[in-house]
Each structure stands twice: as structure tokens, then as C-alpha cells.
Amino acid sequence: LLQGQGRGMHEVVDLLECLNPELLETNRFQTESGDELASQRERWYEQMAKALHASQQWDRLIQICDQGLAHSLHHKTQYFIIYRKAQALRQTGKSEEACALLSSLVAKRFEWWVLMELAQTKWDLGKHRAAIRDACIAFVETKIDSLVAKSLLTISEWILQQGRPRLGDVVAPFVELVWVENGWPIKDALRSRLSALHVSNESDVKDPNILARNIIQELWKVLDEFDPPLTGIVKRFLPNGKAMFLGVEGRGDVYARVYGRKQPQIGDRVLFRLFSSYDRKRDEITDAAIHVHDLH
């Protein structure tokens, strides 16, 4: 419905309004391969939220999201609906509420696009260092491709405002290459943004894989500057051996997944940074260790 119909999104909303979600099937579907698909009701809320977002009907989007969340939606659909509500809250000036929702989402399940939305919301609030930190975390371990190109452009502009042009020097040629390879026109607005990043010698690199590696390297450098790693000591392991607790001076033990192929040992000193995580056992958001690696 949302693709290839040649209708404006307002018209798509009108079509969806003709259906009463209360009357739609609530059972999820299972394919022959065992995959589970959303129910008719869940798909209605997903499609309506997408159409309302595309047509920038923010107040109506919040209303529909609240209506959907009042039902027992599958956790995957619920995640997406909360994300759309947070986007609408941000657009209506309720950025603090949007931050709270987005923070809870990334703590329960990490998705780069949710964390980037959180970063942009923090930037709106003037929390620039926190925004840059979150944006870097969103992409240091994410595939660098056409899906993330625009977000990388935004991060580069933020960092340039902090007086650090290096990231833009590698992102700008990557974005331009992506647009050319996909046959997308580089319009004046985009050309202006690329030019403002002061592209230097990196513009001679035409291999997207090399540029992607350079981008990751620069993101790690920025992240280490804006959120320097902490030091901890491996204290104990969970019985399954897949997670451990780190002793950190000045605070309680911190949960961390076991890293790398080599099993760490009790007493090993490691570097890490904190990131919000959902403790299912306690049903609460807490801090956990990420980016754990040996202290060399």
C-alpha cells in the first residue's frame, strides 16, 4: 500500500482510516519456513504509523501510537510503534519525552537507527557531547553502507562544529560515491553540505571499502575522545561462561558479555565504556559494559 501506488501519503492515511483495526485479525502468521509474520492488526498500526510519519501528521501519529500500545502488540511491533511515537514527540517539541522513550528502546534492543534518533534528539536539546557519543556508538560496529550515509553526514557536521574536520574528510567522498553508484542526483543542498566539510586528500580514494574502514577508524577516535574508556577488573563469570562482572573503582560491579575468542581470566584488567541495558531479571534499566577489550 505504501509503495508504488502513486498516491500521496495523506491519501494512504485516508485509505487506512477506512479499516477498523479493532476488527482485524490479531493472530500472527507462520510461514512454511517457520518465520513468524505480523498480524493484520499489527500491520495496520505499522503502516498507519509509517504513513502518518511520512505525511508529518505528528499529533495524529502520537494518538495512533498510543492507541496501538494500548493493545497487546508483539514486542517487535511495539518497538517500532514506540520509535514512531518518539519521532513525533521530537517534532512537536517534546524532546525530553522522546529521549526517555528512545533510551528505553536502545537499552532493550540495540538498533543503530534508534540510537541515531536519540542522538539527534539530544543534539536538539543542546546536549552536544552526549549526542556525538551516542552517534559514534551507533556506527562503530555497524556496516557502513548507503543506509547510513546521511546519518554519517550529520555526525560529520556535528564534529566539524567541534573543530574536528577529519571525519568529514572521509565521510564526504564516501557519500558522494554512494550517490554516484546508485545513480542518485547530487542536488544543490547536498552538494553544499559536502563542500562545507572541507574535503581534502581523501577525495582521491574511490574504493568504498577503504573509505568505510577509514570512517570506522575515525569514529573510534572521536568516541574515545568524547567518552574515554573506563578501567575494570574481571571479578567473576556467570555459570554459562558467556557473561561476567567487572569490578570498577567507585561503583558496584558492572555486567559485561565475554569478549573475543580468548577467554579472559579472573583478575584481568580491561577497558570498557558504559551503556544502558535492560536487566530482564530485575525488569529495570541499568548500566552495562560495552566495547570491552584487554588493557594493553
Side-chain angles (χ1 to χ4, degrees), residues 173-174 177 200-212 214:
F174 176 78
L177 185 61
S200 62
N201 60 313
E202 294 292 344
S203 60
D204 294 332
V205 178
K206 300 301 181 183
D207 187 329
N209 295 319
I210 294 176
L211 288 170
N214 292 344

Side-chain angles (χ1 to χ4, degrees), residues 27-39 43:
N27 292 327
R28 293 174 69 81
F29 301 93
Q30 193 164 32
T31 65
E32 293 182 359
S33 62
D35 294 331
E36 194 175 63
L37 304 179
S39 68
R43 282 186 291 168

Side-chain angles (χ1 to χ4, degrees), residues 5-295:
Q5 297 297 321
R7 301 186 179 98
M9 282 300 168
H10 282 85
E11 292 172 292
V12 172
V13 171
D14 290 341
L15 287 172
L16 290 169
E17 292 280 17
C18 295
L19 298 174
N20 182 353
E22 301 298 319
L23 301 179
L24 296 178
E25 179 63 54
T26 59
N27 292 327
R28 293 174 69 81
F29 301 93
Q30 193 164 32
T31 65
E32 293 182 359
S33 62
D35 294 331
E36 194 175 63
L37 304 179
S39 68
Q40 291 180 353
R41 180 182 291 181
E42 289 168 343
R43 282 186 291 168
W44 186 91
Y45 279 108
E46 290 173 346
Q47 300 267 19
M48 178 62 87
K50 185 175 181 179
L52 289 169
H53 177 269
S55 57
Q56 301 183 8
Q57 299 182 57
W58 307 122
D59 291 334
R60 178 63 173 147
L61 176 53
I62 293 172
Q63 182 185 28
I64 285 295
C65 289
D66 285 339
Q67 179 181 314
L69 294 172
H71 296 292
S72 297
L73 300 175
H74 188 272
H75 65 87
K76 290 183 179 180
T77 301
Q78 188 178 56
Y79 190 95
F80 177 76
I81 296 300
I82 293 174
Y83 169 69
R84 287 302 192 197
K85 179 180 178 179
Q87 288 183 306
L89 288 170
R90 177 186 170 215
Q91 293 297 330
T92 54
K94 300 174 183 176
S95 294
E96 291 289 359
E97 291 182 51
C99 272
L101 288 181
L102 294 165
S103 296
S104 69
L105 288 181
V106 293
K108 291 180 179 179
R109 191 177 85 226
F110 180 92
E111 298 286 359
W112 70 261
W113 38 276
V114 178
L115 188 51
M116 185 59 194
E117 185 75 23
L118 177 59
Q120 290 177 309
T121 307
K122 288 182 178 180
W123 187 270
D124 294 344
L125 291 167
K127 302 176 181 179
H128 294 167
R129 289 188 66 87
I132 291 173
R133 170 192 182 271
D134 285 353
C136 288
I137 290 175
F139 295 108
V140 288
E141 295 179 323
T142 297
K143 182 179 179 181
I144 303 300
D145 57 16
S146 60
L147 294 177
V148 305
K150 282 189 175 181
S151 294
L152 291 172
L153 191 59
T154 297
I155 300 168
S156 300
E157 291 168 337
W158 291 350
I159 295 173
L160 181 60
Q161 290 186 34
Q162 307 298 312
R164 297 164 178 81
R166 172 64 183 169
L167 181 61
D169 283 343
V170 291
V171 166
F174 176 78
V175 170
E176 185 169 6
L177 185 61
V178 165
W179 256 246
V180 171
E181 288 189 342
N182 284 279
W184 301 335
I186 300 179
K187 298 180 181 180
D188 290 343
L190 177 59
R191 178 66 65 188
S192 178
R193 293 178 70 185
L194 294 174
S195 298
L197 290 176
H198 307 297
V199 182
S200 62
N201 60 313
E202 294 292 344
S203 60
D204 294 332
V205 178
K206 300 301 181 183
D207 187 329
N209 295 319
I210 294 176
L211 288 170
R213 287 198 297 269
N214 292 344
I215 289 169
I216 291 294
Q217 290 174 0
E218 289 305 314
L219 285 171
W220 275 115
K221 291 177 184 178
V222 172
L223 179 56
D224 285 341
E225 179 179 349
F226 280 74
D227 186 24
L230 302 173
T231 302
I233 298 176
V234 178
K235 290 187 65 175
R236 58 190 174 92
F237 293 92
L238 291 184
N240 62 14
K242 296 180 180 179
M244 58 188 172
F245 284 91
L246 308 178
V248 185
E249 186 176 353
R251 60 173 298 136
D253 293 350
V254 177
Y255 172 88
R257 293 188 181 278
V258 171
Y259 60 94
R261 297 181 180 179
K262 180 183 177 181
Q263 178 79 11
Q265 302 297 312
I266 300 294
D268 284 355
R269 298 185 69 197
V270 297
L271 293 175
F272 69 97
R273 59 178 44 88
L274 294 173
F275 191 75
S276 294
S277 178
Y278 177 61
D279 187 326
R280 298 185 186 278
K281 185 176 181 179
R282 297 181 179 179
D283 189 26
E284 64 181 18
I285 305 296
T286 185
D287 285 335
I290 61 170
H291 303 160
V292 183
H293 59 279
D294 294 329
L295 177 62

